[in-house]
Amino acid sequence: MTDPLRPTHLGTMRERNLALVLGGIARHQPVTRARLAELTGLTKTTVAAQVTTLEGLRLVSGALPVRGGGRGRPGAPVSLAPGPVAGLGLEVNGHYLAACVLDLTHAVRLRESVACDNGGREPHETVAALAALARRITDRAGDAGITLVGTAVALPGVTVEDHVNAPNLGWEAVPASALLADALPAQALGIEVDNEANLGALGELWYGAGRGAGSYLYLSGEIGIGAGIVFDGELFRGGHGAAGELGHVVVDPDGPACRCGGTGCLEQVAGLDAVLRAAGVPDGTGRCEPRLTELLRRLDDRDHHALEAVDAAGRGLAVALVGAVNLLDPDTVVLGGSHARLAPWLIPPIEKAIALGGGKLRGRTPVLRASTLGAESAVRGAAGTVLTRILADPLAIA
């Protein structure tokens, strides 16, 4: 992705100036019109006109005037408007559906999640359940006076020619975008679909542990394991958009079969379902959150099976991450999803393995840290992608 605040793609001078001013406000808020003129190189008259347009679009709002140290009339600073314009993020995961409404100030205005087994039903059933969740959240947004300006959907799979392959959902070449466009409510405008690990990495970059982390790997640890790769503030997608499938790196050639068709893949050792099975946590209703809570309780109680299962997961993650770190040389590795909650047990063996597996050669090892957003990384990143589009092209909502 490119810097959303650099409007190089816009065609007209008005569009470019409008995005330039909005970008200046986003970076320096609260900021006066006079200061915006200095920052953007535009005239004060042009800046004033653009701010008026942005206020009409409800993207920015003014504050009480403030007087500086000099003479003259006090300046009236402007900031991104909290509330009226927002993006909708949706997520499909193996054991839940989630929705999040995020406004331009990065505040979560609405959120909702539904526990369910999405790996055990047909794609159209999952999409129908997601559409029902989206209708509830858009109705709540309307009641709160919030205008949704776009929707992004996080899916645990790879998109190939507008079709999604998601082994942990049982999806093979599913036309997800078309299904979503038909099922989601009319308020869910401008639907965009992306991999949940990519969106999780962006969520951490904009709102979580990725801020100030330099170049980093984000690990999405749920049923499957994906990686979002961020270099110099930009998401790396690879030559065909499928970079980051760390969960299908083979860590045990003699290991169990994987849904992807391979054997001994990382997610068969360190994916949440694999860890819960190895720890002996009963399946129950199939809802992972109570099972994960039970696993954490057993770890705190020093239960042998739980400790051994998480230790095996840590060793598997270490094998995969040593190769990834030696290849990509990130500054930081962020453990997300369920791995964030298991971080106290996972990080020590991973740090040791990385230090022994190439740390001396590079002279440094990356910092390992847990996500600060937990299970919300992907859905927050999804909503955030909508907002970056608006910041780059404010007239897109007009």
Side-chain angles (χ1 to χ4, degrees):
M1 60 176 288
T2 57
D3 183 342
L5 303 182
R6 293 180 183 172
T8 56
H9 68 289
L10 300 179
T12 70
M13 183 66 71
R14 178 180 180 236
E15 290 173 330
R16 289 194 295 271
N17 288 345
L18 198 63
L20 190 62
V21 171
L22 183 59
I25 295 169
R27 286 193 183 97
H28 302 283
Q29 63 181 327
V31 59
T32 65
R33 291 159 178 78
R35 179 59 178 152
L36 279 171
E38 295 174 4
L39 292 167
T40 61
L42 301 174
T43 67
K44 292 181 180 180
T45 300
T46 298
V47 167
Q50 304 305 332
V51 168
T52 298
T53 299
L54 293 170
E55 288 175 330
L57 293 170
R58 301 192 301 165
L59 296 176
V60 304
S61 58
L64 293 175
V66 295
R67 186 177 294 281
R71 298 180 178 179
R73 298 176 61 186
V78 291
S79 300
L80 296 177
V85 172
L88 173 62
L90 300 172
E91 180 183 4
V92 177
N93 211 295
H95 289 293
Y96 65 84
L97 302 171
C100 175
V101 173
L102 205 66
D103 74 15
L104 284 173
T105 68
H106 312 317
V108 176
R109 301 302 304 277
L110 299 167
R111 55 159 64 90
E112 185 176 343
S113 63
V114 178
C116 51
D117 182 8
N118 295 311
R121 55 184 176 182
E122 294 296 316
H124 71 273
E125 295 175 323
T126 298
V127 170
L130 185 69
L133 172 60
R135 280 191 291 273
R136 289 197 300 274
I137 208 81
T138 53
D139 287 346
R140 289 172 59 193
D143 292 342
I146 299 169
T147 299
L148 299 176
V149 293
T151 303
V153 184
L155 295 175
V158 176
T159 301
V160 180
E161 296 180 354
D162 295 326
H163 289 71
V164 173
N165 296 320
N168 290 311
L169 297 180
W171 291 15
E172 184 174 353
V174 171
S177 294
L179 289 176
L180 290 163
D182 288 341
L184 291 180
Q187 298 96 317
L189 304 171
I191 299 166
E192 178 182 340
V193 175
D194 203 345
N195 175 266
E196 53 90 22
N198 286 340
L199 292 174
L202 292 176
E204 294 292 339
L205 175 66
W206 295 327
Y207 315 117
R211 290 179 294 183
S215 295
Y216 67 93
L217 300 180
Y218 166 79
L219 263 65
S220 169
E222 297 296 343
I223 298 175
I225 298 175
I229 306 168
V230 173
F231 284 127
D232 296 328
E234 296 196 2
L235 184 68
F236 176 74
R237 296 181 178 275
H240 305 282
E245 286 299 311
L246 194 71
H248 298 294
V249 170
V250 175
V251 297
D252 181 6
D254 299 318
C258 181
R259 293 181 180 91
C260 75
T263 57
C265 293
L266 174 62
E267 66 184 40
Q268 297 305 312
V269 175
L272 181 57
D273 278 3
V275 175
L276 291 169
R277 284 195 304 270
V281 178
D283 191 16
T285 64
R287 292 177 58 181
C288 265
E289 176 56 29
R291 296 178 71 202
L292 178 56
T293 301
E294 173 62 16
L295 174 62
L296 291 167
R297 186 193 66 78
R298 295 185 185 194
L299 289 168
D300 286 334
D301 290 344
R302 309 297 296 171
D303 177 84
H304 171 73
H305 295 295
L307 291 169
E308 194 159 286
V310 175
D311 185 63
R315 293 196 306 271
L317 284 165
V319 170
L321 282 172
V322 165
V325 166
N326 283 335
L327 181 65
L328 300 173
D329 190 28
D331 298 300
T332 309
V333 175
V334 178
L335 300 183
S338 60
H339 287 163
R341 298 180 66 180
L342 295 171
W345 294 273
L346 293 175
I347 285 178
I350 295 173
E351 285 181 329
K352 181 178 178 180
I354 291 176
L356 293 174
K360 291 183 180 179
L361 179 66
R362 294 189 313 278
R364 59 171 301 280
T365 58
V367 175
L368 271 77
R369 60 175 67 167
S371 161
T372 57
L373 300 179
E376 289 195 351
S377 298
V379 75
R380 292 269 293 270
T385 61
V386 176
L387 302 181
T388 61
R389 291 201 303 268
I390 300 307
L391 290 172
D393 185 5
L395 291 178
I397 70 169

